[in-house]
Amino acid sequence: MARSVLQYLKYQYPDIRVLYVEDETFSREKLLRVLNRRFAHIHVAIDGVEGLQLYQKYKPDLIIADIKMNQMSGLEMIKRIRELNEKVQVIVTTAHDDNDFFVQSIENNVNHFILKPIDLDLLLQAIQKSVYQIQLEKELEKQKNLTRTILDFQDNLIFVIENGEIVEWNQAFSTVTGIGIHKNHPASYQSQFLSSFFVEDPHYFYPKDKERWIEEFSATGKNVAKVRWKGPLGNDYNYVMKAGPIPGTKQILFVLTDITDLEKESREKEHLAMLDPLTSSYTRQKFKEILAGEMRRAERFDRSFSLILMDIDFFQTLNKQFGQTAGDKVLITVSTIVQQRIRECDMFARWGGEEFILLVPETDGNKAVLLAESIRSIIEQYHFHTIGQVTCSFGVAEFSPGKTKAELLAELDRALTTSKNNGRNSVSLYTKEE
């Protein structure tokens, strides 16, 4: 029979669903009158088989059941239900008071047992305690669902490790790692599972012993580091990984914030800062850094390299005669010609107003002269719009171990001066006789 809203509001426990199982008709009807005054949702069964069916269909919060019934006993029914739900509250009523009954009740995690004939006050106290526990569990579940929703709403990768196992994680973490995507996934994963996601990079945290990555991460003393992880499609992601203990537990909370786009943007800005905005060649400052690194490498491995310094002949005259715009186009074109001619490992920079410099690794002075001569010839033969022919002068100097940067650059400048003194549009190699 349908109950009115007013009736529903009068119930002591309107939100608690009850399964009442009793095979004896008089006892069932008597207790049912008591329960109907307190609960809005009651499902009644006359034996364990029907009780189990009703539980599977309605998932009640509280079970009140007699022990001895036909077909399936109350304890057997409770055992089956416990396999489906360990937390459901169970009150049993029985006329038996032997030890075997109590042992079986304990084994099946019965919450309360009431001897028959039923003392109504004791039953109501047991119901009150069970309802309180049910309401507490529901509130905890509500809070857990709220926390889960908040976690899954986060773009950050969040996971919790306890005693070497990953016990909690959010949707973003699951998407990247695959954890929890399949229905048959285990309840927890070993933390070593994550070691396969780390990508080795000298600029990011990478464990020496992947099986002990948590200990190595903690040993940094900062509990925060940049890491690179493999993404779900094989692409790499950059994260800031933070970790900290959860108070009152043995759990460690890890949060990974994606900084892939930020680092990409930072690298792009850094790259742009390294380049001359007009000619797209390296700046003088960046070239000095490259030169210092190459000198260290050459010293360490006893290798040589060469520098080529080039100057556009009579550039100031061209600027005055044809204008700055035409002059800028000459700079751009000369830079493009050189960059198309050199190797990927060669480093090219704008050294001054109309001067460019080129670092040629693993190349002695004579081979560098050949490269400079080929560049000089290409520029000489190129027809510049509105201007016609443009030529360049070149100086070449070879590095040898023990030579300082100042000495090398001074030799390079002298070689360029030699080319200019020889009538320009030529290549000169520095020699000690100069």
Side-chain angles (χ1 to χ4, degrees):
M1 181 180 296
R3 288 162 170 158
S4 68
V5 175
L6 184 60
Q7 284 179 310
Y8 180 83
L9 293 175
K10 289 181 178 179
Y11 292 115
Q12 188 175 0
Y13 310 115
D15 298 322
I16 303 298
R17 294 163 298 177
V18 177
L19 171 62
Y20 177 39
V21 186
E22 171 64 70
D23 62 342
E24 205 278 316
T25 303
F26 177 76
S27 297
R28 183 173 65 247
E29 291 179 351
K30 180 179 179 182
L31 186 55
L32 190 58
R33 286 195 293 270
V34 175
L35 297 177
N36 276 328
R37 290 196 295 270
R38 289 164 175 81
F39 297 96
H41 308 285
I42 302 175
H43 305 285
V44 182
I46 62 173
D47 57 43
V49 173
E50 186 181 9
L52 181 60
Q53 292 173 344
L54 289 175
Y55 178 83
Q56 292 172 329
K57 182 176 181 179
Y58 297 105
K59 303 294 187 299
D61 308 297
L62 172 62
I63 299 171
I64 302 174
D66 188 26
I67 291 299
K68 192 173 182 179
M69 294 181 290
N70 295 325
Q71 295 194 61
M72 181 187 293
S73 71
L75 286 177
E76 179 63 24
M77 179 194 72
I78 292 167
K79 180 180 178 181
R80 300 278 188 89
I81 290 175
R82 281 292 185 216
E83 293 173 355
L84 302 173
N85 186 346
E86 295 180 352
K87 295 183 178 181
V88 65
Q89 288 288 307
V90 176
I91 300 174
V92 298
T93 61
T94 180
H96 301 278
D97 60 356
D98 57 78
N99 289 334
D100 183 57
F101 156 72
F102 289 113
V103 170
Q104 291 184 59
S105 296
I106 292 172
E107 288 176 348
N108 288 283
N109 295 322
V110 170
N111 301 104
H112 307 278
F113 33 88
I114 307 295
L115 293 175
K116 290 183 176 180
I118 294 174
D119 184 318
L120 187 58
D121 288 336
L122 291 177
L123 176 63
L124 293 179
Q125 288 177 20
I127 288 175
Q128 187 176 22
K129 291 178 181 178
S130 289
V131 167
Y132 175 77
Q133 187 63 36
I134 292 168
Q135 291 172 337
L136 181 61
E137 290 287 346
K138 286 187 174 183
E139 184 61 30
L140 290 173
E141 186 66 23
K142 181 180 177 181
Q143 293 298 322
K144 184 177 179 180
N145 290 335
L146 176 61
T147 302
R148 168 58 51 189
T149 301
I150 293 173
L151 289 177
D152 287 340
F153 190 74
Q154 298 291 313
D155 292 330
N156 295 336
L157 277 60
I158 301 173
F159 61 99
V160 176
I161 289 181
E162 181 177 10
N163 296 325
E165 292 186 340
I166 308 167
V167 294
E168 292 287 347
W169 57 84
N170 70 341
Q171 184 60 47
F173 179 79
S174 179
T175 300
V176 170
T177 63
I179 281 181
I181 289 178
H182 304 292
K183 291 183 179 180
N184 295 326
H185 74 276
S188 61
Y189 291 77
Q190 293 296 316
S191 61
Q192 286 87 344
F193 167 79
L194 297 180
S195 64
S196 62
F197 288 91
F198 287 97
V199 176
E200 187 170 4
D201 189 302
H203 302 293
Y204 297 82
F205 168 78
Y206 184 77
K208 295 178 181 178
D209 182 355
K210 289 188 174 183
E211 298 298 308
R212 298 174 56 84
W213 71 266
I214 296 178
E215 289 89 336
E216 288 190 33
F217 179 74
S218 300
T220 62
K222 298 179 180 179
N223 286 333
V224 58
K226 291 199 299 183
V227 297
R228 294 192 72 182
W229 270 22
K230 289 187 298 185
L233 301 178
N235 49 330
D236 294 345
Y237 285 90
N238 303 332
Y239 296 102
V240 170
M241 181 165 70
K242 296 182 180 179
I246 298 177
T249 72
K250 295 181 179 180
Q251 298 179 338
I252 305 173
L253 173 68
F254 288 82
V255 179
L256 276 69
T257 304
D258 190 349
I259 58 171
T260 306
D261 292 338
L262 288 176
E263 295 227 320
K264 181 181 178 182
E265 183 179 349
S266 177
R267 286 193 299 270
E268 289 174 350
K269 288 182 178 179
E270 182 181 356
H271 181 68
L272 290 174
M274 292 189 279
L275 298 180
D276 174 62
L278 180 64
T279 64
S280 296
S281 57
Y282 284 121
T283 62
R284 183 186 182 106
Q285 182 59 39
K286 182 60 182 179
F287 186 85
K288 286 182 177 180
E289 296 175 11
I290 295 171
L291 176 58
E294 184 63 22
M295 289 179 68
R296 288 192 296 269
R297 190 186 73 85
E299 288 276 7
R300 179 180 178 185
F301 297 105
D302 193 22
R303 301 289 179 84
S304 64
F305 66 88
S306 296
L307 295 181
I308 301 173
L309 182 62
M310 58 182 290
D311 181 88
I312 301 174
D313 297 330
F314 306 109
F315 182 76
Q316 297 304 323
T317 303
L318 293 176
N319 243 353
K320 290 179 181 179
Q321 183 177 353
F322 298 100
Q324 184 177 345
T325 301
D328 286 348
K329 289 183 178 179
V330 169
L331 292 170
I332 294 170
T333 303
V334 167
S335 175
T336 302
I337 290 172
V338 176
Q339 293 187 65
Q340 290 179 346
R341 173 64 184 83
I342 62 178
R343 303 169 300 178
E344 187 174 346
C345 64
D346 298 335
M347 301 298 172
F348 181 64
R350 188 177 180 186
W351 193 244
E354 66 271 15
E355 286 187 334
F356 294 91
I357 192 168
L358 180 62
L359 187 154
V360 194
E362 306 290 336
T363 305
D364 61 26
N366 292 323
K367 290 180 180 179
V369 167
L370 294 176
L371 174 60
E373 179 60 35
S374 70
I375 295 172
R376 184 205 63 77
S377 177
I378 294 171
I379 295 173
E380 181 185 29
Q381 295 174 34
Y382 187 84
H383 179 80
F384 290 80
H385 182 65
T386 72
I387 294 175
Q389 187 186 55
V390 173
T391 62
C392 294
S393 298
F394 295 79
V396 179
E398 179 182 336
F399 172 81
S400 57
K403 191 177 293 186
T404 67
K405 182 168 67 174
E407 290 171 342
L408 179 62
L409 293 176
E411 293 174 359
L412 188 64
D413 193 60
R414 288 184 199 133
L416 177 60
T417 300
T418 299
S419 290
K420 290 183 178 181
N421 292 338
N422 290 338
R424 293 183 168 82
N425 191 25
S426 62
V427 178
S428 298
L429 173 65
Y430 174 81
T431 59
K432 290 183 180 181
E433 290 76 19
E434 292 182 351

